[in-house]
Amino acid sequence: MKFFKNTRYILPFVLTLSLASCDNFLEVEPRQAIVDDQTIVDGVTAETAVRGLYGALAGANYYGTNFQSIGYFQGDNIQWTGSQSIVAQFINHNVTADNATVASTWAAIYQTINRANHIIEKVPAVTDATFTQEKKNQLLGEAYFVRALAYFDLARTWGGVQLVLTPTKELTDNERIRRSSVTETYAQVLKDLTEAEKLLSETTNRYRATKKTAWALLARYYLYQKDWAQAETYASKLVDDAANYKLVKPYSAFFANNARGTEESVFEIYYSPTSTNTHRNSWQPPANGGTRQWAPNDAFVNLVNDPTVGGNRNALVAKTAQGLWYGNMYYRSPATDPTFVIRIAELFLIRAEARAQLNKLPEALADLNAVRSRADLAPSPAITQPEVLLAIENERRVEFAFEPHRWFDLIRTGRVAEVLGVTDANKYVLPIPIDQLNADKALEQNPGY
């Protein structure tokens, strides 16, 4: 893979740890960095490598900020208040191949994949007597899960991509791999998730992957594939696990008052005072030590403050003394705000949509109304299948307003032209970064770019 050709950075020659947590899996202080020819030689270094994997996932160019911003700006909830043209390109749906955010996000996702590849290759060969097969399975399963998530994000953002499944150790490794089709890329996601599901234990951990986390991503995967029966099945595995997952009340309870790891969360990314979430700075206004470079637009402010639409989800926004609205999901100082990758609300709405598509309308409405009830909203008046599906779409817009779903939802449902007026299908995926095309002539650009 070519990302390191431009950065001169081969992963994981340095597995820098950028993730910490209060859970017991982080109680032992790991080595801060290990050289590749010494990595994953025992249980301790294997655990260190997995910590580095989560650190890559949490990075500013992936789930820390950039990947999420791609989902925000192409939707219809967020405005850009700055002047940088690279951001305006997303809002205007006119992204160019030299866009810096596109380049850094692509590189960050492949860096994450490369860390996963090292773990998948090396952990099975470790002969450390204290490194049990159960522990090996756990770490391998986590690597397969993160690689699946990374390829899922690549597929929905760029379409079919190069499938790099072995570690990159030298600059010439993994060169000249042609792009796979989007179908083949999603097939790799399913393959990795199936492997993760086999290896991981059925425990509850909101910061690291378990079998339940794999089930949640499988539910999302099947939703995107329009396999409604499987989406319903996998979403039910979590929705029906009420002892561990539930819609916390009020809506803000999963993020307000420095909350983290609530029963709402299926998988969230942990940040600490020494490893902060860069997202916060862009949301908060200068009065709160931020830049407010992105903010809820007028249409969303009106929606979320409408008591029949937003309900108590109006906690997502706040207003300065000067009358400027800003997003308030990311607010902590220091910026230890979690990134919410999968919440139980998503599983409720995945199951609602799948059931509506299967014409199980009373059951679909029950799931939809559970999410609405948590927001202090009356039951949906939708009756027919098209009405129920539209109600679910509208609910997702508000429920996940500051999480990267809206743009991808409109693409996968074929509604983006009607809702956003984006009729050029070439714009439904982003361009391959120009530096990647220059580095590897086997890589082909998406049509229209």
Side-chain angles (χ1 to χ4, degrees):
M1 193 58 222
K2 303 99 20 243
F3 63 87
F4 45 79
K5 279 196 167 185
N6 304 293
T7 61
R8 310 300 296 177
Y9 185 60
I10 302 173
L11 290 169
F13 273 33
V14 179
L15 290 174
T16 304
L17 304 181
S18 58
L19 183 67
S21 172
C22 58
D23 275 15
N24 57 11
F25 69 87
L26 291 180
E27 288 175 359
V28 178
E29 183 68 22
R31 283 181 261 175
Q32 293 300 301
I34 43 183
V35 179
D36 182 61
D37 61 7
Q38 298 175 341
T39 64
I40 314 184
V41 296
D42 54 23
V44 173
T45 50
E47 176 67 28
T48 300
V50 172
R51 294 167 190 267
L53 175 62
Y54 284 107
L57 194 67
N61 290 327
Y62 197 2
Y63 272 95
T65 302
N66 278 4
F67 174 74
Q68 296 204 80
S69 74
I70 287 172
Y72 294 149
F73 289 131
Q74 296 187 101
D76 50 3
N77 288 331
I78 309 301
Q79 63 174 313
W80 168 249
T81 66
S83 59
Q84 290 179 312
S85 61
I86 62 170
V87 176
Q89 287 178 11
F90 293 104
I91 294 174
N92 298 329
H93 303 285
N94 191 30
V95 182
T96 59
D98 61 353
N99 184 287
T101 299
V102 171
S104 61
T105 304
W106 171 283
I109 297 177
Y110 271 108
Q111 287 168 359
T112 304
I113 288 169
N114 198 44
R115 293 192 183 193
N117 287 342
H118 275 272
I119 295 162
I120 290 167
E121 178 183 85
K122 295 182 178 181
V123 163
V126 173
T127 57
D128 178 3
T130 65
F131 194 25
T132 66
Q133 189 60 50
E134 180 182 8
K135 185 63 174 178
K136 281 186 180 182
N137 288 347
Q138 174 196 324
L139 300 184
L140 279 170
E142 290 177 83
Y144 277 112
F145 171 83
V146 172
R147 191 170 75 176
L149 177 61
Y151 274 119
F152 184 89
D153 290 337
L154 285 169
R156 60 179 175 161
T157 307
W158 283 276
V161 296
Q162 294 166 305
L163 297 177
V164 181
L165 305 176
T166 57
T168 298
K169 305 168 188 174
E170 304 293 340
L171 292 179
T172 55
D173 288 350
N174 291 316
E175 281 190 324
R176 305 199 67 79
I177 297 176
R178 299 192 69 84
R179 292 179 66 180
S180 296
S181 68
V182 67
T183 299
E184 291 167 335
T185 304
Y186 275 121
Q188 183 61 47
V189 173
L190 179 59
K191 185 176 181 180
D192 281 350
L193 283 176
T194 301
E195 194 64 26
E197 183 183 13
K198 288 191 300 186
L199 292 165
L200 292 167
S201 59
E202 192 177 334
T203 57
T204 302
N205 190 321
R206 307 185 197 280
Y207 305 107
R208 289 178 68 162
T210 70
K211 192 185 296 288
K212 295 178 183 180
T213 325
W215 288 341
L217 189 54
L218 278 163
R220 186 191 287 177
Y221 165 85
Y222 283 118
L223 184 76
Y224 274 66
Q225 301 306 307
K226 298 180 169 55
D227 187 335
W228 313 121
Q230 288 282 54
E232 179 187 22
T233 294
Y234 278 98
S236 294
K237 288 178 180 290
L238 284 92
V239 173
D240 294 344
D241 185 5
N244 292 294
Y245 304 104
K246 62 185 62 174
L247 295 162
V248 295
K249 295 183 178 182
Y251 173 81
S252 62
F254 73 88
F255 67 89
N257 301 313
N258 295 315
R260 69 173 75 249
T262 70
E263 292 170 305
E264 174 83 22
S265 184
V266 176
F267 180 47
E268 67 183 59
I269 297 175
Y270 186 97
Y271 295 87
S272 72
T274 57
S275 180
T276 55
N277 187 343
T278 55
H279 220 89
R280 183 252 187 224
N281 184 62
S282 297
W283 282 107
Q284 289 293 310
N288 295 343
T291 61
R292 192 183 169 269
Q293 293 188 78
W294 48 71
N297 60 26
D298 291 343
F300 179 73
V301 168
N302 291 334
L303 274 178
V304 80
N305 284 319
D306 181 339
T308 68
V309 177
N312 60 32
R313 290 179 297 209
N314 59 3
L316 282 169
V317 298
K319 189 161 61 172
T320 68
Q322 292 73 37
L324 294 176
W325 288 99
Y326 61 94
N328 208 32
M329 178 179 278
Y330 296 91
Y331 59 86
R332 306 177 201 206
S333 184
T336 59
D337 310 85
T339 290
F340 302 99
V341 181
I342 308 174
R343 293 194 284 115
I344 194 61
E346 182 185 353
L347 280 302
F348 270 93
L349 292 176
I350 286 174
R351 192 169 74 171
E353 187 174 338
R355 286 174 163 178
Q357 292 285 1
L358 293 168
N359 213 29
K360 299 178 180 180
L361 299 184
E363 295 91 339
L365 282 167
D367 285 335
L368 171 60
N369 288 332
V371 175
R372 290 177 61 83
S373 175
R374 185 268 288 277
D376 286 342
L377 295 172
S380 171
I383 298 174
T384 66
Q385 185 187 52
E387 288 173 345
V388 173
L389 287 169
L390 181 59
I392 293 166
E393 176 187 299
N394 291 335
E395 205 66 35
R396 287 180 66 97
R397 178 184 179 181
V398 180
E399 178 71 24
F400 307 121
F402 300 159
E403 297 158 80
H405 290 284
R406 177 64 170 171
W407 168 253
F408 298 118
D409 282 345
L410 294 174
I411 294 295
R412 67 176 177 79
T413 59
R415 294 259 299 146
V416 68
E418 182 177 350
V419 175
L420 299 182
V422 183
T423 57
D424 183 353
N426 290 329
K427 304 300 183 183
Y428 298 170
V429 292
L430 292 181
I432 305 299
I434 190 65
D435 58 348
Q436 302 300 317
L437 295 169
N438 291 336
D440 190 345
K441 299 306 179 183
L443 186 59
E444 298 176 354
Q445 183 58 278
N446 277 324
Y449 292 102

